[in-house]
């Protein structure tokens, strides 16, 4: 007899047997022949399709003949012009003067030489440039290694990141995204190679003088230029700086002449002996307002728009990624960012009720090309409400548009920094706003409007540690007396308004830059009182005007430029302050302005276009490359046709009352 007997369920008393059987069969689950489709299945299917499509397109890209994209493009747009290198080779031009490239901020590669435990396996791997894979794999580790010491502006303990050397340092910023590669390839067509081309790479995070203190980069540049000149039959070098590299080379020209130990000891005639021409591309000679927004609130126009679309996402550390407070902490340790704060104050950039570009329209209509000096700016007068570009920061659209007499501001300079901001999580990601407290933050907003002069005081107030370091390396004023011994200090060397050009009358200086693209000039801000935000100030993206000719878009007033550098900063020195014999140019070095009107690519197959005027894409502009190559092969400004101007730079320059 079994130990356990199965207990039978009692028979249903309420239902007949046949009815009970039917109910049981209904309650019994029927096997389904088709599985239920879930959301996870849909996601997997979608990801699989994307991957399959990507692999298929990649296969086609690698399998197609190299000439296929050009064939398709020519079928759509007609025959393409010869690249400048091919064109000039047909004309019989050959390599003559050695060429030195000087990259700007962020475009040069940086690699790891020593790091913390989280960076194991990355020795001599690029942490900047290349694939940027480490940004996504270990973001906080990347931020830690890319930051400099907040007190010294040099390497933190246990971390060494150095510039990549050679032409590969800045030929491509990322795979497929060229910087100097197109210019290098075209120069190669007429006989250039590494023996007569040199990439003066440096760690662009450091102050200019600290690149010499830590890495002897300025000494290396001096030695390489001397070597290239001597090994090329004494032919002087053509220097081609881009973006912040323009300011870096201004610093170099004073450093190389100055006696040791502060300078290179080359003597007052070094530049005259070794440099034929300096061809500055997209040079922020007088700084950029964009730098103010970056240091003040870690944003520019594009970031501000993204911030508005996803409020709170960029301000909180949900996924432990590089949110804005991490970016602010990191970039405020880079002394180089302070080199691009606007120089010249209200004299250059305008005040509460005026600016040199007053009357500019932002319709985006293509301007006529090759204006003479008298015609420049003729079409840039607007009948719409004028913009107060001199107000670089305004708290509220009404303040940006108000008459000066209607603005009642409370001076922030003496405000007491009070109680800490509510969000204690911000202490994990240091920003100096936490130390400033609620009282200091409100004082900034109550001042309401900041011109170029006030912006310097503003940055000293909100970021005293950063500006204390910066004050040792950079200056932003205008010299009254350039013979004053104080201007012999290196902090003045990258400010063209506080130093003289070298005594080199045969040398030429060019300003090459794009125009025709709306470029950030001034901002409308708002006070963000959200407890979740570590950065209490935002660009007020809701301040917007739909009028086609209006320059106000998403809280930013735009002006003509190359998308990063306004025309005023790129062109003023060569248009006026250095033109002829002036106190800034005592030897009368010839200066030329070459503007390139922006024309976007006609189709996707053209890539970034051969007529672009954008700040980095201009490096692939055929007209600019041809101008550089003609000078490198022995030409001068007259051979290029002197000035080529599309903007109002000459008119705007005449409105600036500067003692010359």
């Amino acid at each position: 007899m079994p130990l356990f007997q199965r207990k039978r369920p009692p028979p249903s008393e309420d239902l007949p047997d046949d009815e009970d059987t039917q109910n049981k069969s209904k309650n019994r689950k029927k096997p389904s022949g088709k599985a239920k489709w879930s959301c996870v299945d849909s996601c997997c299917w979608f990801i699989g399709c994307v991957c399959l499509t990507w692999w298929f397109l990649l296969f086609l890209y690698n399998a197609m003949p190299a000439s296929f994209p050009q064939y398709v493009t020519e079928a759509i747009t007609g025959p393409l012009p010869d690249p400048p290198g091919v064109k000039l080779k047909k004309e019989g031009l050959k390599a003559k003067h050695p060429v030195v490239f000087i990259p700007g901020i962020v475009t040069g590669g940086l690699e790891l030489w020593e790091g913390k435990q989280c960076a194991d396996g990355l020795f001599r791997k690029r942490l900047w440039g290349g694939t940027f894979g480490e940004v996504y794999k270990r973001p906080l580790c990347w931020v830690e290694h890319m930051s400099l010491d907040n007190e010294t502006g040099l390497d933190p303990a246990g971390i060494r990141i150095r510039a990549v050397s050679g032409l590969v340092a800045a030929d491509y910023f990322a795979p497929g995204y060229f910087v100097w590669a197109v210019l290098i390839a075209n120069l190669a067509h007429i006989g250039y190679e590494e023996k007569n081309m040199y990439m003066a790479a440096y760690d662009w995070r450091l102050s200019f003088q600290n690149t010499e203190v830590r890495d002897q980069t300025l000494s290396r540049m001096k030695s390489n230029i001397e070597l290239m000149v001597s090994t090329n039959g004494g032919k002087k070098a053509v220097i081609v700086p881009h973006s912040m590299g323009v300011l870096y080379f201004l610093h170099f020209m004073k450093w190389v002449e100055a006696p040791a130990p502060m300078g290179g000891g080359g003597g007052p005639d070094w530049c005259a002996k070794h440099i034929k021409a300096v061809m500055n591309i997209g040079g922020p000679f007088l700084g950029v307002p964009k730098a103010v927004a970056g240091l003040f609130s870690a944003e520019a126009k594009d970031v501000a728009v993204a911030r508005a679309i996803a409020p709170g996402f960029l301000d909180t550390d949900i996924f432990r990624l590089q949110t804005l407070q991490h970016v602010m902490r990191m970039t405020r340790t880079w002394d180089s960012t302070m080199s691009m704060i606007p120089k010249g104050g209200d004299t250059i950039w305008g005040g509460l009720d005026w600016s040199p570009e007053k009357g500019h329209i932002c319709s985006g209509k293509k301007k006529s090309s090759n204006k003479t000096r008298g015609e420049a700016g003729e079409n840039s007068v607007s009948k719409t409400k004028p913009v107060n570009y001199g107000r670089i920061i305004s708290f509220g659209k009404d303040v940006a548009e108000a008459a000066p007499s209607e603005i009642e501001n409370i001076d922030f300079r003496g405000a007491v920094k009070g109680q800490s901001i509510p969000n204690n999580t911000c202490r994990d990601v240091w920003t100096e706003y936490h130390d400033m407290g609620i009282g200091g933050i409100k004082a900034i907003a109550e001042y309401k409007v900041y011109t170029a002069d006030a912006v310097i005081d503003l940055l000293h107030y909100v970021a005293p540690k950063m500006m204390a370091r910066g004050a040792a390396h950079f200056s932003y004023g205008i010299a009254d007396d350039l013979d004053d011994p104080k201007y012999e200090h290196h902090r003045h060397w990258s400010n063209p308004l506080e130093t003289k050009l070298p005594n080199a009358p045969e040398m030429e200086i060019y300003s090459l830059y794009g125009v025709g693209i709306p470029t950030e000039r001034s901002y409308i801000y708002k006070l963000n009182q959200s407890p979740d935000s570590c950065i209490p100030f935002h660009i007020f993206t809701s301040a917007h005007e739909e009028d086609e000719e209006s320059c106000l878009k998403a809280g930013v007033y735009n002006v003509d430029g190359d998308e990063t550098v306004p025309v005023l900063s790129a062109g003023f020195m060569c248009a006026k302050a250095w033109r002829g014999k002036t106190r800034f140019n005592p030897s009368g070095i010839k200066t030329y302005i070459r503007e390139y009107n922006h024309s976007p690519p006609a189709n996707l197959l053209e890539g970034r276009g051969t007529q672009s005027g954008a700040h980095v894409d201009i490096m692939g502009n055929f007209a600019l490359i041809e101008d550089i190559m003609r000078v490198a092969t022995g030409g001068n400004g007259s051979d290029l046709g002197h000035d080529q101007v599309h903007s109002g730079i000459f008119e705007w320059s005449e409105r600036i009352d500067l003692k010359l």
Side-chain angles (χ1 to χ4, degrees), residues 343-366:
K343 303 174 179 68
D346 294 2
T347 301
I348 298 293
W349 296 92
L352 288 177
D353 58 351
W354 82 280
S355 64
E357 309 100 322
K358 191 171 184 177
H360 173 70
I361 59 174
C362 297
S363 62
K365 295 176 182 177
K366 195 174 181 69

Side-chain angles (χ1 to χ4, degrees), residues 289-304:
K290 198 172 187 176
V292 175
L295 293 171
F296 184 53
S297 61
E299 61 185 340
K301 179 171 60 178
D302 297 339
V303 175

Side-chain angles (χ1 to χ4, degrees), residues 335-391:
D335 287 348
S336 60
T337 58
M338 287 176 278
S339 71
M340 293 186 289
I341 294 173
K343 303 174 179 68
D346 294 2
T347 301
I348 298 293
W349 296 92
L352 288 177
D353 58 351
W354 82 280
S355 64
E357 309 100 322
K358 191 171 184 177
H360 173 70
I361 59 174
C362 297
S363 62
K365 295 176 182 177
K366 195 174 181 69
K367 305 175 183 68
S368 59
S369 61
N370 266 337
K371 294 178 185 176
T372 65
R373 177 167 180 160
E375 295 169 334
E378 189 176 290
N379 296 328
S380 62
V381 177
S382 172
K383 295 180 181 179
T384 61
K385 183 166 52 178
V387 177
N388 298 311
Y389 285 120
R391 305 175 187 185

Side-chain angles (χ1 to χ4, degrees), residues 156-185:
I159 294 175
R160 279 187 297 149
I161 290 180
R162 297 294 181 263
V164 178
S165 60
L167 295 178
V168 297
D171 54 353
Y172 288 91
F173 178 61
Y177 191 88
F178 68 80
V179 183
W180 294 92
V182 179
L183 175 57
I184 292 170

Side-chain angles (χ1 to χ4, degrees), residues 563-575:
E563 201 170 33
T564 296
V565 183
V567 164
L568 186 67
S569 181
F572 173 76
M573 295 306 297
C574 282

Side-chain angles (χ1 to χ4, degrees), residues 96-100 192 196 228-229 232 235-239:
K96 185 175 182 180
H97 295 275
V99 178
V100 178
Y192 278 93
N196 49 14
M228 293 172 73
V229 170
N232 281 274
K235 298 180 180 67
K236 300 177 186 178
V238 172
I239 314 297

Side-chain angles (χ1 to χ4, degrees), residues 78 84 132 199 201 323 326 361 441 444 478 500 509 539 546 598 645:
F132 283 91
M199 182 72 72
T323 45
H326 286 288
I361 59 174
I441 289 169
I444 290 170
I478 302 174
K500 298 177 185 177
I509 294 182
I539 294 174
E546 299 297 335
H598 175 70
V645 178

Side-chain angles (χ1 to χ4, degrees), residues 15-344:
L15 295 172
D17 289 347
D18 57 341
E19 210 172 312
D20 188 30
T21 306
Q22 288 178 7
N23 281 343
K24 287 180 180 179
S25 63
K26 284 181 183 179
N27 293 333
R28 198 178 294 135
K29 291 183 179 179
K30 295 182 180 180
S32 175
K34 189 175 181 181
K36 188 177 180 181
W37 191 262
S38 69
C39 182
V40 174
D41 294 323
S42 299
C43 291
C44 293
W45 181 86
F46 175 75
I47 293 171
C49 287
V50 170
C51 292
L52 187 62
T53 304
W54 171 256
W55 290 329
F56 179 69
L57 292 175
L58 191 63
F59 169 77
L60 290 180
Y61 176 79
N62 289 309
M64 75 171 67
S67 60
F68 182 74
Q70 181 179 349
Y71 171 79
V72 175
T73 301
E74 289 184 354
I76 297 172
T77 63
L80 296 175
D82 285 334
V86 174
K87 176 183 176 181
L88 298 189
K89 185 177 182 180
K90 290 178 180 178
E91 293 181 17
L93 297 183
K94 296 181 180 179
K96 185 175 182 180
H97 295 275
V99 178
V100 178
F101 311 115
I102 304 178
I105 192 168
V106 311
T107 54
L110 300 176
E111 61 187 16
L112 182 71
W113 281 81
E114 180 185 2
K116 300 292 183 68
Q117 185 175 358
C118 66
D120 285 350
L122 298 181
F123 177 68
R124 295 205 65 196
K125 302 291 185 183
R126 289 201 185 194
L127 291 192
W128 189 269
T131 62
F132 283 91
E134 299 311 318
V135 178
Y136 308 108
K137 292 179 184 176
R138 31 190 145 182
L140 294 183
C141 180
W142 179 84
V143 167
E144 180 183 8
H145 284 74
M146 284 297 296
S147 299
L148 295 170
D149 186 274
N150 194 43
E151 301 294 334
T152 65
L154 294 169
D155 293 325
I159 294 175
R160 279 187 297 149
I161 290 180
R162 297 294 181 263
V164 178
S165 60
L167 295 178
V168 297
D171 54 353
Y172 288 91
F173 178 61
Y177 191 88
F178 68 80
V179 183
W180 294 92
V182 179
L183 175 57
I184 292 170
N186 278 278
L187 285 166
H189 276 295
I190 58 173
Y192 278 93
E193 49 191 280
E194 286 209 71
K195 69 180 181 182
N196 49 14
M197 288 192 294
Y198 166 59
M199 182 72 72
Y202 58 100
D203 188 338
W204 43 262
R205 301 172 302 160
L206 302 178
S207 72
F208 302 155
Q209 193 69 6
N210 274 345
T211 64
E212 175 65 15
V213 170
R214 196 192 74 178
D215 302 331
Q216 295 76 53
T217 309
L218 298 173
S219 293
R220 294 171 190 275
M221 192 191 308
K222 175 178 179 284
S223 299
N224 276 285
I225 292 175
E226 290 172 344
L227 177 63
M228 293 172 73
V229 170
S230 64
T231 56
N232 281 274
K235 298 180 180 67
K236 300 177 186 178
V238 172
I239 314 297
V240 189
H242 173 245
S243 189
M244 193 186 75
V246 169
L247 303 179
Y248 189 61
F249 193 72
L250 279 178
H251 182 97
F252 171 84
M253 286 195 292
K254 295 302 294 183
W255 173 89
V256 76
E257 293 181 339
M262 187 182 294
D269 59 349
W270 191 93
C271 291
K273 288 180 178 178
H274 295 90
I275 301 174
K276 167 185 166 55
V278 184
M279 307 195 74
N280 303 290
I281 304 174
F285 289 102
L286 303 176
V288 289
K290 198 172 187 176
V292 175
L295 293 171
F296 184 53
S297 61
E299 61 185 340
K301 179 171 60 178
D302 297 339
V303 175
V305 171
R307 206 178 196 179
I309 293 172
F313 181 78
L314 291 178
D315 296 296
T316 54
D317 203 22
I318 300 173
F319 300 111
R320 307 293 288 172
L321 298 175
Q322 284 81 2
T323 45
L324 289 182
Q325 59 265 33
H326 286 288
V327 172
M328 174 173 280
R329 180 183 182 181
M330 178 175 67
T331 56
R332 281 190 176 182
T333 67
W334 298 348
D335 287 348
S336 60
T337 58
M338 287 176 278
S339 71
M340 293 186 289
I341 294 173
K343 303 174 179 68

